[in-house]
Amino acid sequence: ILAIPLSTVLVFAIPSGLPIGLKVAWLVVGYMLWDTAYTIGDVPIYALSTAMTNNPAERTLLISRGRFWGSVAIFLPMFLLPLVRTSLGGWTNTILVFCIFCAITMLPVNFKVKERFNGRGEDKKDPTLKEMVRYIVKNKYLLIFYIAFLVYYSFNISSTMSIIVARHCFGSEGYASLMSLALLAPPMLSALLVPPLLKKMEKFRLFMLSLIGMNALCVVIYFVGYQNFMVFLVLTVIRGIGYGFVSTLLYTFIGDCCEYGTYKTGVDAKGIAFAAHTFFTKFMGAGATALSSVCLAMVGYVSGEGAVQPATLPGHVWALYCLVPVLGLLIALPIFRMYKLRDKDIFAMTKCNEGLITREEAEASMSQKY
């Protein structure tokens, strides 16, 4: 509650009178503290869904609502910060106000959320380091899912290149905010639609259809071109709906992999699975940033304000922005196909882990042998 807001304020409260070297050092230390605080908060807040209920459907509902309000939390500052920053007296005062509000909204979790289910009886001990390593190694579907996502998101360079596309394809960096808004606003709707859709469709199927659909739209956007920004914006909004389904369902698969890991090893180490998610997410971001830099260098992009760019740059940047993520999906699809966990089987594993049914009864009700 305190670490994230305080470290955020620290990043924006660099004294103007410091030498440039100390400013850089302040920023580096501040960001490292913020990143550490965020990780410490990110892992347990999503793992809570597995501790609040042992019903996979209820976990999905919790996660979908969490993703909805998370989208709202992204959406509001994009509008409010430019409007209030000057009247509040600059970045430091503005961030201070926002962080106080942030701390207040985080408080109810500590007093209202109940961990009704932890998957362990009173006589069971916390897993040892060796058991946790075994839990990860034996949890093949957790590894398969995140290896596939690591491949896909390492190629997902669209977000890192949005400003460059806005400047060189659409003519102004100001378009970048609208591009981000068009992609980030629709997930609020998607998060609310996930629970009713899962009553009619298997979760992994909805996930794959959304993933393939949003990348198919990338191909459409490429061929439509960048001459008409409004057409691009409409297509991006539609793509954002698919992105919302993917980003919401992603967290539900972690819970499924947790149940599978416990079922296979007898070890309840859900926190390790969610920690792995945070680790892979950071690794994906680093990979996408590195790849975008390599791609820009390959097409002759010159960094720096007022730098003279090759005449062919807009077309090349557009192709990178639209098609490189599609290439990542094509590479990742065979890995995704190796993921075989299905909703019906997760229900049986959960009941077995809880001790409500025997292992033999669980296996008899599953669609396949695990």
Side-chain angles (χ1 to χ4, degrees):
I1 293 175
L2 295 177
I4 295 176
L6 288 175
S7 57
T8 304
V9 172
L10 183 65
V11 171
F12 285 88
I14 303 175
S16 58
L18 290 179
I20 186 63
L22 288 179
K23 287 183 177 180
V24 172
W26 183 301
L27 178 62
V28 170
V29 173
Y31 181 79
M32 290 177 65
L33 290 173
W34 177 87
D35 202 31
T36 302
Y38 183 86
T39 301
I40 293 172
D42 188 59
V43 173
I45 198 67
Y46 282 107
L48 269 177
S49 62
T50 63
M52 293 170 68
T53 175
N54 62 349
N55 186 321
E58 290 181 348
R59 291 175 183 173
T60 299
L61 183 62
L62 286 170
I63 290 171
S64 66
R65 289 180 177 176
R67 294 301 297 173
F68 169 78
W69 289 109
S71 298
V72 172
I74 294 172
F75 189 72
L76 286 179
M78 291 177 64
F79 274 101
L80 294 178
L81 279 173
L83 297 176
V84 303
R85 182 171 65 88
T86 303
S87 59
L88 290 177
W91 279 113
T92 302
N93 291 343
T94 303
I95 296 302
L96 182 60
V97 171
F98 271 71
C99 285
I100 291 173
F101 178 76
C102 169
I104 292 172
T105 58
M106 293 168 68
L107 275 173
V109 174
N110 291 267
F111 300 103
K112 295 295 183 180
V113 171
K114 303 293 183 184
E115 296 187 35
R116 298 177 177 86
F117 171 76
N118 61 19
R120 298 181 297 153
E122 295 292 335
D123 58 333
K124 292 187 179 180
K125 299 179 180 179
D126 290 326
T128 63
L129 179 60
K130 182 179 180 179
E131 288 174 327
M132 288 189 287
V133 172
R134 179 172 173 265
Y135 176 87
I136 291 291
V137 172
K138 290 284 186 179
N139 200 332
K140 67 176 182 179
Y141 291 115
L142 180 70
L143 296 175
I144 287 170
F145 192 80
Y146 275 110
I147 289 172
F149 243 89
L150 179 62
V151 172
Y152 172 63
Y153 268 107
S154 293
F155 280 79
N156 191 19
I157 64 175
S158 298
S159 59
T160 61
M161 292 186 59
S162 59
I163 291 180
I164 293 173
V165 169
R167 180 193 299 166
H168 296 286
C169 294
F170 296 124
S172 171
E173 288 186 12
Y175 286 107
S177 295
L178 291 175
M179 293 166 64
S180 299
L181 186 62
L183 188 62
L184 295 176
M188 290 189 287
L189 173 63
S190 304
L192 295 177
L193 291 175
V194 165
L197 283 175
L198 291 185
K199 294 179 180 179
K200 302 178 181 297
M201 186 184 301
E202 211 280 331
K203 180 168 54 187
F204 189 72
R205 185 183 179 195
L206 176 60
F207 175 80
M208 291 306 301
L209 286 175
S210 301
L211 195 60
I212 292 171
M214 60 183 287
N215 281 275
L217 273 170
C218 285
V219 178
V220 173
I221 290 171
Y222 170 73
F223 284 108
V224 168
Y226 53 85
Q227 288 75 21
N228 191 319
F229 181 74
M230 290 307 300
V231 173
F232 165 79
L233 211 59
V234 170
L235 292 173
T236 302
V237 168
I238 299 172
R239 179 170 168 254
I241 296 173
Y243 172 75
F245 287 136
V246 170
S247 60
T248 299
L249 290 170
L250 168 63
Y251 290 92
T252 68
F253 289 112
I254 307 174
D256 292 351
C257 291
C258 288
E259 295 297 348
Y260 172 78
T262 302
Y263 180 77
K264 290 295 291 185
T265 66
V267 176
D268 179 25
K270 296 181 176 69
I272 298 300
F274 283 91
H277 166 75
T278 301
F279 170 80
F280 275 103
T281 299
K282 294 181 182 299
F283 208 71
M284 294 170 199
T289 301
L291 181 60
S292 63
S293 299
V294 171
C295 289
L296 287 172
M298 290 175 62
V299 298
Y301 175 77
V302 182
S303 61
E305 291 293 331
V308 178
Q309 305 293 347
T312 56
L313 185 70
H316 286 153
V317 166
W318 185 250
L320 293 174
Y321 176 82
C322 297
L323 299 181
V324 170
V326 179
L327 175 62
L329 177 63
L330 292 176
I331 298 172
L333 274 177
I335 309 174
F336 274 123
R337 291 189 63 182
M338 298 168 63
Y339 183 88
K340 301 298 184 182
L341 288 179
R342 297 297 180 264
D343 294 346
K344 176 185 175 183
D345 302 339
I346 291 298
F347 272 101
M349 291 179 190
T350 302
K351 289 183 178 180
C352 180
N353 294 339
E354 177 72 355
L356 299 176
I357 60 175
T358 65
R359 193 174 189 85
E360 290 74 21
E361 290 173 321
E363 291 178 352
S365 66
M366 291 181 187
S367 61
Q368 59 185 301
K369 186 176 179 61
Y370 290 93

